[in-house]
Amino acid sequence: MAQISLNKILEVLGAGKDAQENRAEGIRLCVRVGSAAPRPLVLAVKDLLVADDRGAEVDVALAGSGAPTSADAAIIVCGNAEADAATSALGFARANVPVALVAETAVEAPEVELPEEAEGLVSVIACADPSKLGPLLADWLVSATPKGIAMAANFPFCRDAEVKQLVVRCAAENAAVGAVNLIPGSDMPVMTANQSKLALDIAAAYGRGLDASRAVEIAAIVAAGFAWRSLSRNVVELVPAGKWVLRGVLGYVGTVAVGNGLKLRFGIEDGTVELPDFASLGKSSKEASGALAALPRRAQDAAKKAHEEREARERAQYVIFSADGTVSQGA
């Protein structure tokens, strides 16, 4: 059986420290509002950028006012392709700050003439429905900055986007580890360590610290890793060719399952994911069981009815029209 070495344990402990340091990083966002910016869009940005932690600072001002200051990212809410919004975007881009121009349509966002060294720093987020702005802005924030975990820890609307990136990155790494496994069993400790580090990163993204519950999560992941490894080995042995592909797929799927499970757990704790109504589920299950039990009787009734209809058709009388105009019935 594969063993998890002391080095791997120390590596996971170090990853926990790194995750907490990433969570504690300070965040500074600059928001600039254009004079023609749609009010519903401005209010949507305002509601989203309410921080859960004191580690985030949001600087809000009118577009075009004042010289741009250093920031992790800048968000400019604009409309009618206004020049002040373009001026602010250019200033931030020159200061090497990523900028998102938020507008109802791409046409409403101003054209920004960027110098060569600032190309790629300005993005447009077009969103006509303010209620759908959150996921779009979250995807941009966690991708445009290297502080995804801190961004998620401070702003709850960024958590789904950051966790998705963390899970995909770890799953891709474990898929590669599984695919190139040269020594039987050597992939399991590496995959388990990666999943344990993923658990610590996800916990940090949800604003969780290092406490006893982290140890419980890691222990569960290790136990699941051994069980998954045993299952994977049995499945792979059934495949005559292309075993390395299947090992990679299983490594990817197992890691995604771990990530989604942790996401569900923290979502339930935070109240962002509702638990199912077990009373309703029980009632529905009872109704479904009753309907299932009634199927044989219904099938018997349907068969009996079909038999009777067939016999009736065989005994059916028909009408005879005689040449003299009389009408009679026959069988």
Side-chain angles (χ1 to χ4, degrees), residues 159-171:
R159 287 172 183 168
D160 279 353
E162 174 61 12
V163 169
K164 181 180 179 181
Q165 286 200 7
L166 291 171
V167 170
V168 168
R169 188 159 55 242
C170 183

Side-chain angles (χ1 to χ4, degrees), residues 13 20-21 24 30 32 41-43 55 67 72 79-80 119 131 144 163 169 173 185 201 205 230 233-235 277 302:
L13 293 176
Q20 291 305 308
E21 290 177 353
C30 287
R32 297 295 180 260
L41 214 50
V42 175
L43 293 177
D72 293 299
N80 294 336
E119 288 182 358
S131 67
V163 169
R169 188 159 55 242
E173 184 174 344
D201 282 341
S230 176
R233 184 169 57 248
N234 292 333
V235 171
D277 185 345

Side-chain angles (χ1 to χ4, degrees), residues 251-270:
Y252 189 97
V253 171
T255 304
V256 170
V258 168
N260 288 340
L262 290 166
K263 178 181 172 182
L264 178 62
R265 178 201 161 176
F266 291 129
I268 291 172
E269 286 183 359
D270 288 347

